[in-house]
């Protein structure tokens, strides 16, 4: 295995930036492919957002988590996952600014995003419990992580059975499930000449790019952590988390510009559900002890940030108030304030991470 620490800080930074650019470009293309697949198969935007966009854009987190865990850097894996979850929700706040005069949560016509958010908060609560109470390894993973895996599978089953025909009206007559489907059809026109098989191969190619780039992000990020002295906990929760979230940034912005608001929010919540599940995979590959036993105050606070920003958007979805500040909804503004304030607290907690920050 290549020793990234021996490459020097500047070369690792160059690798990190190059991999991040590759992840971004692949993410932009995947949005179009996902929309085309949704149009050709008749599968709804919300489910495509969870399964396809959520799954493919989670590939950097998968790669970083597994490679870091296998190389003995479970702390980097856990913190990049937890930091990425909060970071990705903050992306929705920036996407809200693209709408301008309307709040994003007031124009989501599909209530399935609330179901996604509810399952996400439930899974994060299980993670918080594993940190506070401690975990006991059973069959290569902790008991709490086995519960996490079971609830994730159940949640995906419920989401797959959720129908779109529910009484839910956006605060805009131009934003309905039917209107979103019409916009999706128009956006997919450029892919009409391509077969579903060709689109599938193109999506797989983008996924492969993201996997390779995700590996480079993991190893170079770890080397940067060692060279700068900031520690794996903070580098994982901020720098690596931001880089691995670039597919979500590109796909959410692309979906929002196209008026596919349900797909944008489902992409984030769907990615979050898969990312939380990755903690189970990290635990399986992280050694004999339960990986969450190495977590401490830093990781616990990162989980609380993720729960809080999700809950704020959940409240916005229920309230449906279309009021904006700085071209974003009040809930989006609150999410940004909580996330940025949380980063400050995490910076001061970086030396008390249970994972050896």
């Amino acid at each position: 295995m290549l020793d990234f620490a021996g490459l020097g800080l500047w070369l690792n930074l160059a690798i990190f930036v190059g991999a991040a650019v590759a992840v971004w470009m692949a993410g932009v293309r995947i949005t179009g492919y996902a929309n085309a697949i949704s149009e050709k198969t008749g599968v709804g935007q919300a489910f495509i957002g969870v399964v396809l966009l959520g799954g493919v854009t989670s590939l950097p987190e998968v790669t970083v988590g597994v490679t870091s865990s296998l190389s003995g850097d479970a702390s980097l894996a856990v913190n990049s996952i937890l930091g990425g979850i909060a970071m990705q929700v903050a992306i929705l706040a920036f996407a809200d600014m693209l709408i301008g005069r309307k709040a994003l949560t007031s124009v989501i016509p599909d209530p399935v995003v609330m179901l996604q958010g509810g399952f996400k908060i439930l899974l994060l609560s299980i993670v918080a419990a594993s940190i506070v109470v401690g975990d006991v390894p059973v069959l290569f993973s902790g008991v709490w992580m086995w519960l996490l895996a079971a609830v994730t599978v159940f949640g995906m089953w419920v989401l797959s059975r959720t129908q779109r025909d529910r009484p839910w009206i956006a605060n805009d007559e131009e934003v309905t499930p039917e209107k979103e489907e019409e916009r999706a059809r128009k956006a997919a026109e450029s892919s009409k000449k391509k077969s579903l098989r060709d689109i599938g191969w193109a999506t797989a190619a983008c996924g492969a790019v993201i996997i390779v780039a995700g590996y480079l992000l993991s190893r170079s990020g770890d080397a940067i952590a060692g060279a700068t002295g900031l520690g794996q906990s903070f580098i994982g929760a901020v720098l690596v988390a931001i880089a691995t979230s670039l597919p979500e940034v590109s796909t959410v912005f692309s979906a929002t510009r196209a008026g596919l608001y349900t797909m944008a929010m489902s992409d984030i919540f769907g990615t979050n559900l898969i990312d939380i599940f990755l903690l189970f995979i990290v635990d399986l590959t992280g050694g004999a002890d339960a990986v969450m036993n190495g977590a401490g105050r830093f990781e616990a606070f990162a989980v609380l940030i993720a729960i809080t920003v999700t809950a704020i958007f959940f409240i916005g979805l229920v309230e449906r108030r279309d009021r904006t500040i700085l071209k974003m909804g009040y809930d989006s503004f609150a999410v940004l304030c909580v996330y940025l304030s949380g980063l400050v607290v995490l910076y001061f907690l970086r030396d008390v991470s249970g994972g050896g920050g």
Side-chain angles (χ1 to χ4, degrees):
M1 182 180 292
L2 180 62
D3 180 15
F4 278 72
L7 298 179
L9 175 60
W10 290 108
L11 183 54
N12 274 300
L13 282 171
I15 294 172
F16 191 91
V17 172
V21 171
V23 166
W24 173 280
M25 295 177 67
V28 170
R29 289 186 174 274
I30 281 176
T31 304
Y33 297 146
N35 186 32
I37 291 173
S38 176
E39 175 64 20
K40 287 179 177 292
T41 61
V43 178
Q45 286 184 44
F47 191 67
I48 285 291
V50 171
V51 177
L52 182 58
L53 282 184
V56 176
T57 57
S58 289
L59 288 175
E61 287 86 352
V62 174
T63 308
V64 168
V66 173
T67 56
S68 297
S69 180
L70 289 174
S71 61
D73 299 328
S75 175
L76 178 67
V78 170
N79 285 293
S80 64
I81 290 171
L82 296 179
I85 292 169
M87 165 63 190
Q88 290 156 14
V89 177
I91 290 171
L92 288 172
F94 288 107
D96 197 348
M97 299 177 74
L98 296 178
I99 303 176
R101 60 187 180 85
K102 298 181 181 296
L104 176 62
T105 49
S106 73
V107 294
I108 299 292
D110 195 333
V112 73
V113 294
M114 294 181 61
L115 188 59
Q116 295 166 358
F119 273 114
K120 176 187 168 185
I121 291 174
L122 177 58
L123 292 176
L124 286 171
S125 298
I126 294 174
V127 175
S130 71
I131 296 174
V132 174
V133 178
D135 213 346
V136 179
V138 175
L139 297 176
F140 309 107
S141 183
V143 173
W144 284 107
M145 293 299 99
W146 279 111
L147 176 62
L148 180 79
V151 174
T152 302
V153 172
F154 174 72
M156 290 299 183
W157 177 78
V158 172
L159 288 170
S160 70
R161 296 171 61 86
T162 300
Q163 302 297 316
R164 293 172 55 87
D165 52 350
R166 283 176 164 75
W168 186 264
I169 302 173
N171 288 343
D172 187 339
E173 62 183 9
E174 293 298 318
V175 184
T176 65
E178 293 74 23
K179 291 286 187 180
E180 280 200 334
E181 289 174 358
E182 183 180 344
R183 281 193 290 269
R185 282 194 294 270
K186 291 180 179 179
E189 285 181 356
S190 60
S191 300
K192 279 186 177 180
K193 295 181 180 179
K194 295 182 179 180
S195 67
L196 183 60
R197 179 180 178 181
D198 290 339
I199 296 173
W201 280 112
T203 304
C206 288
V209 170
I210 290 176
I211 288 175
V212 174
Y215 171 79
L216 294 176
L217 285 172
S218 169
R219 306 317 305 148
S220 59
D222 187 34
I224 292 170
T228 59
L230 288 175
Q232 287 183 343
S233 57
F234 190 74
I235 288 292
V238 181
L239 184 61
V240 176
I242 290 174
T244 55
S245 295
L246 286 176
E248 288 81 9
V249 176
S250 56
T251 55
V252 166
F253 280 21
S254 298
T256 304
R257 287 195 184 99
L260 307 176
Y261 306 124
T262 299
M263 181 177 286
M265 184 161 277
S266 288
D267 175 22
I268 293 299
F269 283 179
T271 299
N272 286 169
L273 291 174
I274 295 172
D275 288 351
I276 300 171
F277 174 76
L278 288 181
L279 291 173
F280 170 69
I281 304 300
V282 169
D283 204 359
L284 284 176
T285 58
D289 192 18
V291 71
M292 299 311 294
N293 285 338
R297 290 166 57 191
F298 183 98
E299 291 78 9
F301 192 76
V303 174
L304 290 177
I305 295 174
I307 291 175
T308 302
V309 293
T310 304
I312 291 173
F313 269 134
F314 201 105
I315 293 170
L317 284 166
V318 174
E319 190 199 25
R320 317 289 280 171
R321 181 167 303 219
D322 189 18
R323 291 186 179 180
T324 60
I325 178 173
L326 300 178
K327 294 185 176 182
M328 68 181 79
Y330 282 12
D331 46 6
S332 292
F333 181 75
V335 163
L336 277 184
C337 290
V338 168
Y339 177 69
L340 295 176
S341 300
L343 288 185
V344 175
V345 176
L346 287 177
Y347 176 79
F348 289 105
L349 285 176
R350 70 192 189 282
D351 293 326
V352 296
S353 168

